[in-house]
Amino acid sequence: VGVGATFIDGQMWYLVNIAPELSFGKLGVGLDLNIRYGPADSANKKIRAEDFDEFYDYLRIIRYIRWAQKGDPFYIRLGRLDYSRLGHGFIMYNYRNSASYDLRRMGLELDIDFEKYGFESVYGDFAGRGVLGTRAYARPLKFTSAGDIPVIGGLETGLTFAMDMHKDANKIYDVTKPDSTDDKGSMSAIGLDLGLPLLSLPMIRSTLYFDYAKIIGYGSGVAVGINFDFSGMGLFTASAKYERRFMGDKFLPSYFDALYERD
């Protein structure tokens, strides 16, 4: 729940935002309801009728539809993306495909784990050329008898590729020449990773990892860390990680992040 104010045609309206998720087993439906009350300077305040006078106004209340959760053998989410990540997050972490409520996009997350190998994928915008990312991974010891060894048997290696296909994604502005730009087209990054799952329980997962990433045409970096994902019986989730980064010039970790579309 969020509270605040919004200005429309010079008038201030009080704003209440309600964004719950309704869960039915593995099926989840995320809602996003904005209720504007006012105007603030009016003696006859009321809920703004223009927000609910078209069918689309009710359709946009649905933020997303998902099946299962990130980390399950089969996971899919369609609609607004809020916390998308690939692998350990060194290239994409907590990516949001919508800059605001009024600039929402239809995106997709699709992950499939076949136990010995699998993939993760993110697509930010079906309506245009946006962010596209995928990570393919394998657990090589699962192809041998060593795959049954606790902890070591789950060793995972992955390859990540992500790019923004928008025509302005790699446009460089020269601050000394405000009227000149160097348009290099799309922006992309590639990475390699290793992960050792220390805990793989229904409620908590933890992985020790190593990541290398390079932004194509720019710099590269390395990260070593450990992460924790906690799921509280379907009522809430929490995640944390401790990471040491070694970054070269012209490199930003987690380039596709929560503020990417806004920036």
Side-chain angles (χ1 to χ4, degrees):
V1 177
V3 294
T6 185
F7 290 85
I8 301 174
D9 296 331
Q11 290 184 316
M12 187 181 81
W13 295 73
Y14 301 112
L15 173 66
V16 177
N17 172 256
I18 305 172
E21 180 187 271
L22 307 180
S23 296
F24 310 91
K26 289 191 173 184
L27 177 66
V29 180
L31 305 181
D32 195 356
L33 178 61
N34 275 344
I35 301 175
R36 296 179 175 91
Y37 182 75
D41 57 358
S42 173
N44 300 314
K45 297 179 177 62
K46 59 182 180 180
I47 295 177
R48 190 171 184 268
E50 291 87 343
D51 291 341
F52 303 98
D53 60 356
E54 297 180 2
F55 174 73
Y56 177 71
D57 295 329
Y58 293 91
L59 186 63
R60 72 186 313 198
I61 292 175
I62 300 176
R63 295 174 61 237
Y64 63 83
I65 298 175
R66 65 158 181 84
W67 180 262
Q69 297 280 3
K70 182 79 172 177
D72 289 341
F74 178 82
Y75 163 70
I76 186 170
R77 171 167 166 159
L78 181 66
R80 180 168 172 172
L81 309 180
D82 292 317
Y83 306 106
S84 298
R85 75 174 188 268
L86 293 173
H88 312 121
F90 201 42
I91 292 177
M92 179 182 291
Y93 188 64
N94 285 345
Y95 168 74
R96 301 183 67 183
N97 68 336
S98 301
S100 71
Y101 176 82
D102 294 312
L103 295 173
R104 291 197 295 178
R105 295 171 177 170
M106 177 73 72
L108 173 72
E109 283 183 286
L110 176 62
D111 299 352
I112 302 180
D113 187 344
F114 297 101
E115 188 177 359
K116 295 181 179 179
Y117 57 89
F119 71 88
E120 306 171 76
S121 61
V122 176
Y123 187 51
D125 186 10
F126 279 107
R129 296 169 62 84
V131 172
L132 170 67
T134 184
R135 174 179 177 262
Y137 59 88
R139 302 181 182 99
L141 295 183
K142 292 292 184 181
F143 292 90
T144 70
S145 58
D148 296 328
I149 301 175
V151 182
I152 297 295
L155 178 69
E156 183 176 292
T157 179
L159 172 65
T160 299
F161 177 77
M163 67 183 301
D164 186 347
M165 298 179 288
H166 193 277
K167 61 183 180 65
D168 294 329
N170 197 3
K171 182 175 286 188
I172 300 173
Y173 297 87
D174 187 342
V175 294
T176 64
K177 302 175 182 178
D179 296 329
S180 68
T181 60
D182 183 7
D183 191 353
K184 297 185 177 182
S186 63
M187 173 71 82
S188 56
I190 191 169
L192 298 170
D193 66 81
L194 288 172
L196 188 64
L198 304 179
L199 290 173
S200 297
L201 303 175
M203 292 183 62
I204 186 169
R205 297 171 180 169
S206 177
T207 301
L208 184 68
Y209 61 87
F210 167 88
D211 275 50
Y212 165 82
K214 178 174 178 58
I215 300 176
I216 304 300
Y218 300 96
S220 61
V222 170
V224 179
I226 184 171
N227 62 24
F228 298 91
D229 292 309
F230 178 79
S231 178
M233 298 174 292
L235 298 177
F236 66 94
T237 60
S239 62
K241 64 178 179 176
Y242 181 80
E243 188 173 86
R244 178 70 170 94
R245 296 169 174 170
F246 306 88
M247 296 186 292
D249 294 336
K250 298 183 178 181
F251 177 79
L252 286 173
S254 306
Y255 186 79
F256 301 103
D257 62 5
L259 298 178
Y260 178 78
E261 297 294 346
R262 193 171 188 87
D263 291 342

